[in-house]
Amino acid sequence: MPAIPPPPPGAHPCPQCASKGIVSHLRMSYDPECLQCVRHPDCRFQILFEYYGRELLDEETKQLCELGKTDVIEGFLSREEHRPFSARLILGESTRWRVRPLFENE
């Protein structure tokens, strides 16, 4: 098994595999569409920068990685009807490490 490389500067713990692997500067330097686990080859964790027609702010992405949820975000659009809605985004084992909306009435 290959050795896991040391974390790059600015790395944050990967929410899924807990290795140091989410790199905040990936947004600017490597992949313009997502953050992903860059140290553990089998992890395959990633967070896109856009969900439901709205680009996430850096702070919202940080909340999602560190806390597993964001504050309520406005300006999302439903996929089929393109109606605006507000929701928190959540991420964790219960969502199989995929970002999902959480509405206030849930």
Side-chain angles (χ1 to χ4, degrees):
M1 182 169 167
I4 296 174
H12 300 286
C14 174
Q16 182 171 313
C17 72
S19 69
K20 281 248 192 213
I22 295 296
V23 183
S24 58
H25 67 272
L26 272 175
R27 181 174 218 155
M28 303 299 174
S29 303
Y30 300 108
D31 189 334
E33 297 179 6
C34 70
L35 290 177
Q36 56 192 352
C37 185
V38 296
R39 291 186 67 222
H40 195 283
D42 297 326
C43 181
R44 295 190 177 125
F45 174 80
Q46 70 177 12
I47 293 180
L48 302 177
F49 290 133
E50 185 176 306
Y51 289 95
Y52 306 101
R54 184 186 179 280
E55 187 171 337
L56 297 182
L57 302 174
D58 289 337
E59 183 60 32
E60 294 162 344
T61 303
K62 183 177 177 182
Q63 284 179 344
L64 203 51
C65 289
E66 293 179 359
L67 305 175
K69 65 181 179 179
T70 64
D71 294 333
V72 174
I73 300 173
E74 297 182 13
F76 292 126
L77 295 174
S78 64
R79 291 181 180 164
E80 294 179 13
E81 300 167 4
H82 301 290
R83 290 186 183 182
F85 70 92
S86 302
R88 292 179 190 275
L89 293 181
I90 60 170
L91 171 74
E93 270 189 82
S94 65
T95 65
R96 295 185 180 181
W97 300 104
R98 300 292 181 244
V99 175
R100 301 285 185 250
L102 178 66
F103 300 98
E104 290 298 315
N105 57 356
E106 290 185 52

